[in-house]
Amino acid sequence: IVGGGTGVVEVSAHIPENLKPAVEAFRVRFGNGCWETNRKGDTEADDSEWEPLSATFSECVDAFLYIYNQDGQAANKRVEVEDFLDGLKGQVDLDFYTAACTVKGRHRIFPLRRRSNRQQTHPPPPPKWHPWYEKQVQKCVKPGDWLTNEFFISAFCQAVQKTGGQITEKEAWELFDFRYNQDYRDTKESDVKLERRGGVLHQVPRGW
């Protein structure tokens, strides 16, 4: 334990000596904290579904994030950190706040967040979206498309209000998860097949 400018900063003996100054500097600013992850890969999961990661992992990520923020493009945005999940190494992306590793032969990406005194410090807490959530949403967006998520939310709110309901755009955003958007407007007729899902005949909504 070493004295910090804004309190007592905790640094364990388990991380490399050359990273300890960065951990100390980071924790003077943001407090002693712990990184957490969600095993389902869900950035929007309830607090009860996030689990704390090891002290060694947390301190290493603190150090690498401090170095990355100080050095910018000169530092690596992806770093490999020991003792991530169940003792596995995790490849941490400092832009998207994720850690990737191979679990039972499958490549998995898990979201990360940091909390100190029960308050989220990284990434910026709600109402801002987690960077990984935004990345997943962007995968479903076509450049230059008029049918954006913002357009949909605006139209949805107008439809609710025209039928006598009351809803704000903030409330509307919380109703939908745009990571799971599917666009069938350009689907070819030859690719549309009649399937049985849950015992019910189903056909993808071609053209929608």
Side-chain angles (χ1 to χ4, degrees), residues 8-207:
V8 177
V9 176
E10 297 178 4
V11 181
S12 72
H14 301 295
I15 67 168
E17 287 293 329
N18 63 325
L19 292 182
K20 288 185 178 181
V23 178
E24 294 166 12
F26 188 87
R27 295 193 167 189
V28 163
R29 182 174 178 184
F30 297 108
N32 299 315
C34 178
W35 286 89
E36 301 175 340
T37 192
N38 175 266
R39 285 183 181 265
K40 296 178 182 178
D42 186 5
T43 60
E44 308 308 298
D46 292 336
D47 286 344
S48 61
E49 297 182 42
W50 290 78
E51 62 180 273
L53 297 166
S54 71
T56 301
F57 179 87
S58 292
E59 290 174 353
C60 286
V61 176
D62 281 357
F64 288 128
L65 188 57
Y66 176 80
I67 295 168
Y68 181 64
N69 288 335
Q70 292 293 110
D71 297 347
Q73 297 299 322
N76 291 327
K77 64 164 285 188
R78 291 190 180 92
V79 291
E80 194 168 76
V81 182
E82 299 277 355
D83 201 16
F84 167 50
L85 206 57
D86 301 329
L88 297 171
K89 289 183 180 179
Q91 187 181 64
V92 176
D93 190 308
L94 300 172
D95 275 342
F96 293 119
Y97 292 93
T98 60
C101 65
T102 300
V103 180
K104 296 181 180 179
R106 290 180 56 203
H107 181 74
R108 297 282 308 280
I109 297 178
F110 300 91
L112 297 174
R113 72 176 188 182
R114 183 184 189 273
R115 301 182 87 195
S116 177
N117 295 323
R118 299 184 180 181
Q119 300 297 316
Q120 184 171 319
T121 64
H122 296 79
K128 288 193 173 182
W129 299 110
H130 192 288
W132 183 236
Y133 175 90
E134 291 186 330
K135 174 69 174 177
Q136 290 174 303
V137 169
Q138 286 303 311
K139 289 181 179 179
C140 305
V141 174
K142 293 181 178 180
D145 191 358
W146 64 271
L147 185 54
T148 63
N149 295 331
E150 290 76 13
F151 179 94
F152 171 82
I153 288 293
S154 178
F156 176 79
C157 288
Q158 289 182 43
V160 171
Q161 291 160 5
K162 283 183 178 180
T163 57
Q166 296 295 322
I167 191 169
T168 65
E169 286 202 358
K170 181 179 183 297
E171 291 170 334
W173 278 103
E174 293 174 354
L175 290 176
F176 299 96
D177 192 334
F178 293 102
R179 291 175 294 181
Y180 302 105
N181 284 2
Q182 289 182 284
D183 189 345
Y184 295 104
R185 287 174 292 173
D186 298 328
T187 302
K188 297 178 181 178
E189 188 173 1
S190 58
D191 293 334
V192 177
K193 298 179 181 179
L194 192 63
E195 303 173 305
R196 190 172 292 277
R197 297 186 182 181
V200 178
L201 289 175
H202 171 82
Q203 200 171 39
V204 297
R206 176 177 172 267

